[in-house]
Amino acid sequence: MDLSRRWLSDYVDISEISDKEFADKITLSGSKVESWAVEGEELKNIVVGKVLSLERHPDSDHMWITTVDVGKAAPLQIVTGAQNLTVGDFVPVALDDSVVHGGKEIRKGTLRGVESAGMLCSVAELGVSTHDFPYAIEDGIFILGEDCNRTPGTDIRTAIGLTDTVTEFEITPNRPDCLSILGLARETAVTFDKELKYPEIKYSTIGEDVRDYLKNVTIQAPDKCYRYAGAVVKNVRIKPSPLFIRERLRACGVRPINNIVDITNFVMLEYGQPMHAFDLRYLQGGEVIVRNAREGEHITTLDDTDRALSPEMLVIADTEKPVAVAGIMGGEYSGIMDDTSTIVFESACFNGVSVRKTAKKLGMRTEASGRYEKGLDSDGCLTSLRRALSLVALLDAGDIVDGVIDVYPSPKKQTVIDFCPDWVNNFIGINVSADEQKKILEDLEFKVEDGKIYVPSFRGDVEHKADISEEIARFYGFDKISTRPLSGACTGGFNEAQKFQNLIHARCVSLGLTEVKTYSFISPKAYDKICLPEGSAYRNSIVISNPLGEDTSVMRTTALPCMMDVVSRNYNNRNLSESFYELATVYIPQGENALPLEKKTLVLAEYGETKSFFTLKGKVEAIFAEAGVTEYDVAPLTTAASYHPGRTARITAAGKELAVIGELHPDVLSNYGIGAKVWAAQIDFDLLYSLKNTLRLYKPLPKHPAMQRDLAFVCDKSEPVGKLEKMIAAAAGDILEKIELFDVYEGIQVGPLKKSVAFSLTFRAKDRTLTDAETDAAVKNAIQALAAIGAILRQ
């Protein structure tokens, strides 16, 4: 939002306040200033001159030698090629050592043998245009009109009103009231404790009835159009606007057009309420119908572009066709033309979301749509309309027909909030009296009465006592609020699940594993690379509706492909030995309309000369031990598609699969271009968390000696050692402290399809020294238990 300081001064007297002080204080009170600039600041040493004489240049058929009075003792001689000069004209004169628009420097010189003490300027050389001064011409010298100061020697910026300071504000979306001169004037008045003067609204009518011209206004879409007000002006007299209008529009970045169009733009900037003027000739049936566009309808807008409309778009229509896209732009015949005689002024309030969607779909964003998008005050429509009629009267732009049509289906309800000064003070941490708070609010046009605050309609952002606190704080002064400790208890920290994750992360790192993080979206072809069969449930993935590409088009159901990408990259970069882990999330579909089940899985992978199935199994068991999970079973697994069928194991706990560990299938390694053995493990992290026991109890050092026995058994080669360990532990009883496997032997001494398995058993009692008889009895029980499955004691 660009703010003209000259325009602001019409409502608030801040003449003694510098531009910097204004910017600093208005920013501190909540209206952020981005920058400010002074109009015409680059123009140097250019003054008003009066043409005293004109003579043909003796050596040119198009140049003139002029003498110009510039307010000095003697007139200056200036040579010019302009053909629009006459004696007595007042013109801009760039003197010796001057600067015109664009930074070009002017110095005296000689033109075809004749001295020239400067240059006469066009509008372009002053940085203005024929829109700012409609009587000027583009390809000639700027002849100053009677609306300029034409005293010779006067600085040209002062003469043509090019001295305004323009301040650029960043207006937040919740403050559409500040997208107006009056809104910022209100903020300025409260910030500097000044009086706010509203423009006078005064006009007279010719006595006819508005309905003789605008017969009816109908709102068929009250959810998108909250209010529509219209008035009629006849005998319109199209002409340029006076200088004060043109100056203010130019400073705010709006190009002056003619008096009627300028009035609508002036009111939009002044009150923040977009307006439109329709030529009544092209309003068929003399009716305005606010409705949704019909399927297949088109409209040619004022920018001469044909636009296809759709039923969700709101339009202003007559009895036959759309004449404007509501809140955005009028149609080609809705504009003001030189022969326009009767107009309808529109002041309406449209739904911001609807305007935004329509503007985006049509690819057009205007000053009006930018304001409607943020949500305007429907109660302000009538005031803005009357201000426009007041300007019509002031500019003698036409005859105002009596009455207005105002359709307001659902009047806006006023927001009422309890007035609680003590609550505000405690909330902010200040000590401002109730009277001071009341004054701030009343200066902002809130009404405070009987313990209630009545919020003005243009402040739709104020709904709660906290909002009132903000209003008090920003005008009391954020810089005056003293520091204090935060109230309430701080309850930050990790929850139990996060603590467990951190525990496992630390254990993985301590085991020499390097953490990796991969994307959750993969290519469907990744399942082929890990050799999943066509009917595998893992191929049923969530498909991304707008993927970046085919390689990232589905959500993974297993994290193994992502880990293998990491392994492949490192192997092919000649990293000879690596160990990785990732705590990954996988996404399991739960039906067409249900969100997927998000499961966490811990994936480990390693390769290298010193790595093997058993080194990885030891790391997996160390992770289980860290989690406090000790009860689990390990069994061979031959059906895991991605793993070698003879070198893979399944670990189960509580009757569920806790982990799969093994050497990856040679076909998988080939698909990833890996020429070494890779071992991987996939752990169900959610199941591990449910089984965790992270309580650590102190165990005193043993007071009594231990007894050891070594036992070797001959059993079937296919018999799992883990099964034998569990059976020994169950049979030996509580005095068995530890069991360790120390030898496995296969050979002719034990027979074909047999193996010898040797264990070291440690026995100890907590409360006594064991006797040989107790230990022998426990060993005997273990031998008998294993004999039941054909495992006999080796002699």
Side-chain angles (χ1 to χ4, degrees):
M1 173 70 188
D2 289 339
L3 174 68
S4 160
R5 177 127 181 199
R6 178 182 291 143
W7 200 347
L8 177 67
S9 297
D10 292 342
Y11 315 124
V12 184
D13 181 13
I14 53 170
S15 55
E16 76 284 2
I17 298 170
S18 69
D19 292 333
K20 186 177 187 311
E21 182 185 1
F22 173 73
D24 289 344
K25 289 190 175 180
I26 200 74
T27 296
L28 195 59
S29 68
S31 303
K32 183 184 176 185
V33 172
E34 289 288 307
S35 63
W36 76 85
V38 179
E39 285 184 322
E41 199 170 23
E42 63 180 337
L43 304 181
K44 305 293 183 185
N45 207 17
I46 305 174
V47 300
V48 175
K50 181 179 181 181
V51 178
L52 301 179
S53 68
L54 285 168
E55 293 181 15
R56 284 287 184 184
H57 193 292
D59 196 24
S60 173
D61 58 358
H62 74 279
M63 300 183 78
W64 294 86
I65 302 172
T66 68
T67 55
V68 184
D69 176 11
V70 293
K72 297 184 177 181
L76 300 180
Q77 178 177 286
I78 296 177
V79 179
T80 180
Q83 304 300 311
N84 65 317
L85 291 177
T86 60
V87 174
D89 286 343
F90 294 89
V91 295
V93 181
L95 305 176
D96 181 37
D97 195 24
S98 60
V99 179
V100 298
H101 179 63
K104 182 179 180 181
E105 296 183 358
I106 305 298
R107 299 187 182 278
K108 65 181 179 180
T110 301
L111 293 175
R112 293 196 179 184
V114 178
E115 289 187 359
S116 180
M119 183 182 77
L120 307 185
C121 301
S122 66
V123 287
E125 287 158 339
L126 300 179
V128 292
S129 71
T130 55
H131 290 285
D132 303 307
F133 297 94
Y135 50 79
I137 60 175
E138 291 185 2
D139 56 354
I141 299 302
F142 179 20
I143 310 300
L144 303 183
E146 293 183 358
D147 54 3
C148 300
N149 183 336
R150 300 195 293 183
T151 304
T154 303
D155 185 278
I156 195 63
R157 293 175 56 210
T158 302
I160 65 174
L162 200 63
T163 57
D164 202 354
T165 298
V166 180
T167 306
E168 181 187 358
F169 284 86
E170 179 189 334
I171 306 300
T172 54
N174 66 318
R175 292 300 305 275
D177 59 299
C178 287
L179 286 172
S180 65
I181 306 298
L182 282 171
L184 290 172
R186 185 184 302 111
E187 296 289 308
T188 301
V190 182
T191 300
F192 294 97
D193 196 20
K194 299 286 185 179
E195 179 187 358
L196 175 63
K197 297 175 290 184
Y198 277 95
E200 183 180 15
I201 296 179
K202 182 175 66 175
Y203 60 89
S204 58
T205 62
I206 60 173
E208 298 183 53
D209 188 351
V210 65
R211 291 189 181 273
D212 292 338
Y213 298 87
L214 181 58
K215 302 185 184 307
N216 194 30
V217 173
T218 305
I219 299 178
Q220 294 182 357
D223 58 323
K224 295 179 180 177
C225 178
Y226 304 133
R227 189 176 191 179
Y228 193 101
V232 173
V233 177
K234 62 181 294 188
N235 300 326
V236 171
R237 295 175 278 279
I238 305 296
K239 54 187 176 182
S241 297
L243 183 60
F244 84 92
I245 293 281
R246 303 198 307 269
E247 284 179 344
R248 285 154 176 74
L249 292 180
R250 179 189 66 224
C252 292
V254 177
R255 187 181 67 180
I257 304 294
N258 59 52
N259 53 357
I260 297 300
V261 175
D262 292 350
I263 285 171
T264 62
N265 287 331
F266 192 92
V267 173
M268 177 183 68
L269 293 172
E270 186 178 49
Y271 279 84
Q273 172 63 51
M275 295 189 65
H276 190 70
F278 293 99
D279 190 328
L280 189 62
R281 289 178 300 177
Y282 302 107
L283 205 59
Q284 299 299 324
E287 289 191 37
V288 168
I289 303 170
V290 187
R291 60 171 173 83
N292 288 335
R294 300 186 179 115
E295 191 68 51
E297 276 190 323
H298 283 246
I299 186 173
T300 301
T301 47
L302 282 170
D303 57 359
D304 200 30
T305 303
D306 180 73
R307 302 184 187 276
L309 304 174
S310 52
E312 74 275 8
M313 298 178 181
L314 189 70
V315 297
I316 310 300
D318 56 24
T319 54
E320 297 181 1
K321 63 187 182 307
V323 295
V325 183
I328 302 174
M329 186 179 287
E332 62 177 332
Y333 293 112
S334 70
I336 303 303
M337 306 174 190
D338 291 340
D339 61 345
T340 297
S341 62
T342 305
I343 61 172
V344 175
F345 271 125
E346 167 196 283
S347 179
C349 186
F350 304 110
N351 176 271
V353 174
S354 172
V355 171
R356 170 63 176 164
K357 288 181 177 179
T358 300
K360 187 174 182 180
K361 190 168 184 178
L362 294 178
M364 53 193 301
R365 197 164 188 268
T366 62
E367 282 277 355
S369 69
R371 284 171 164 77
Y372 279 121
E373 287 168 12
K374 295 172 177 61
L376 295 184
D377 173 26
S378 54
D379 283 1
C381 292
L382 209 54
T383 303
S384 301
L385 181 62
R386 288 171 175 154
R387 172 58 171 163
L389 297 177
S390 176
L391 289 171
V392 168
L394 180 65
L395 274 54
D396 189 29
D399 300 327
I400 303 168
V401 175
D402 194 18
V404 297
I405 295 180
D406 182 19
V407 182
Y408 199 1
S410 301
K412 189 175 180 180
K413 294 182 179 179
Q414 187 172 29
T415 301
V416 181
I417 302 171
D418 291 335
F419 181 43
C420 304
D422 292 339
W423 189 93
V424 169
N425 284 333
N426 183 62
F427 186 70
I428 305 173
I430 57 177
N431 185 21
V432 179
S433 69
D435 289 341
E436 288 180 271
Q437 292 188 29
K438 181 179 179 183
K439 182 182 185 303
I440 291 172
L441 293 173
E442 288 180 340
D443 287 346
L444 288 169
E445 300 186 21
F446 291 74
K447 182 181 178 183
V448 182
E449 190 176 83
D450 300 328
K452 300 289 184 182
I453 301 171
Y454 298 87
V455 181
S457 60
F458 56 80
R459 290 301 304 273
D461 60 310
V462 177
E463 299 176 339
H464 186 269
K465 288 185 292 186
D467 300 321
I468 297 296
S469 299
E470 181 183 355
E471 300 303 300
I472 301 300
R474 65 193 185 96
F475 289 107
Y476 169 76
F478 291 118
D479 56 326
K480 298 178 184 177
I481 301 175
S482 59
T483 59
R484 64 170 181 172
L486 291 174
S487 59
C490 182
T491 57
F494 295 111
N495 59 31
E496 287 301 313
Q498 292 169 329
K499 290 178 182 177
F500 182 70
Q501 289 181 23
N502 292 339
L503 181 70
I504 300 303
H505 277 300
R507 190 68 182 107
C508 288
V509 172
S510 72
L511 292 167
L513 296 161
T514 300
E515 183 183 10
V516 299
K517 288 185 178 293
T518 59
Y519 290 117
S520 295
F521 28 84
I522 61 174
S523 168
K525 296 177 182 178
Y527 298 134
D528 296 330
K529 294 181 74 172
I530 62 170
C531 299
L532 284 182
E534 286 300 324
S536 173
Y538 288 106
R539 288 183 177 270
N540 181 23
S541 305
I542 299 293
V543 179
I544 300 173
S545 59
N546 56 340
L548 297 174
E550 193 275 341
D551 288 344
T552 56
S553 60
V554 300
M555 303 301 291
R556 64 187 177 190
T557 57
T558 171
L560 186 60
C562 302
M563 179 59 78
M564 289 307 299
D565 285 333
V566 175
V567 172
S568 174
R569 188 179 307 113
N570 279 269
Y571 176 81
N572 289 291
N573 284 338
R574 300 184 182 276
N575 293 325
L576 301 180
S577 179
E578 292 290 349
S579 298
F580 302 109
Y581 83 95
E582 180 182 14
L583 183 55
T585 303
V586 296
Y587 302 84
I588 311 301
Q590 298 297 299
E592 184 176 349
N593 297 318
L595 291 173
L597 175 64
E598 298 184 26
K599 290 176 59 67
K600 287 195 176 295
T601 179
L602 182 63
V603 185
L604 284 63
E606 59 183 17
Y607 67 93
E609 288 187 2
T610 61
K611 309 296 192 299
S612 68
F613 173 89
F614 295 104
T615 60
L616 185 60
K617 179 173 178 285
K619 292 174 182 178
V620 170
E621 290 179 327
I623 291 171
F624 290 168
E626 189 71 23
V629 177
T630 56
E631 297 296 326
Y632 53 85
D633 296 311
V634 183
L637 179 63
T638 60
T639 57
S642 304
Y643 292 85
H644 194 297
R647 302 170 187 172
T648 305
R650 172 190 282 123
I651 301 176
T652 57
K656 299 178 181 179
E657 183 176 279
L658 178 59
V660 171
I661 179 172
E663 180 184 327
L664 288 175
H665 198 285
D667 291 344
V668 174
L669 300 178
S670 175
N671 290 338
Y672 282 95
I674 301 173
K677 292 182 178 181
V678 178
W679 292 271
Q682 294 170 269
I683 302 172
D684 187 333
F685 192 81
D686 293 335
L687 178 58
L688 184 67
Y689 177 70
S690 68
L691 298 174
K692 71 177 178 68
N693 179 15
T694 55
L695 180 64
R696 300 291 185 261
L697 298 176
Y698 168 72
K699 292 183 178 180
L701 292 174
K703 296 179 180 179
H704 304 281
M707 300 186 72
Q708 288 190 320
R709 296 285 192 274
D710 292 341
L711 299 177
F713 295 93
V714 177
C715 63
D716 291 340
K717 186 176 180 180
S718 60
E719 201 72 66
V721 172
K723 177 181 177 182
L724 302 181
E725 287 184 345
K726 288 182 177 292
M727 294 182 68
I728 293 173
D734 293 340
I735 64 172
L736 179 63
E737 183 179 75
K738 183 169 62 173
I739 178 171
E740 288 183 329
L741 172 72
F742 69 87
D743 182 59
V744 177
Y745 172 75
E746 297 177 14
I748 58 174
Q749 289 87 346
V750 295
L753 300 179
K754 295 289 184 178
K755 64 182 176 182
S756 171
V757 183
F759 298 97
S760 176
L761 309 181
T762 301
F763 296 92
R764 191 196 310 267
K766 296 179 181 180
D767 57 349
R768 67 189 185 282
T769 300
L770 291 176
T771 64
D772 287 341
E774 290 177 298
T775 304
D776 291 342
V779 168
K780 182 178 179 181
N781 291 338
I783 294 171
Q784 290 176 348
L786 265 61
I789 61 168
I792 60 175
L793 188 68
R794 185 178 177 185
Q795 300 299 322

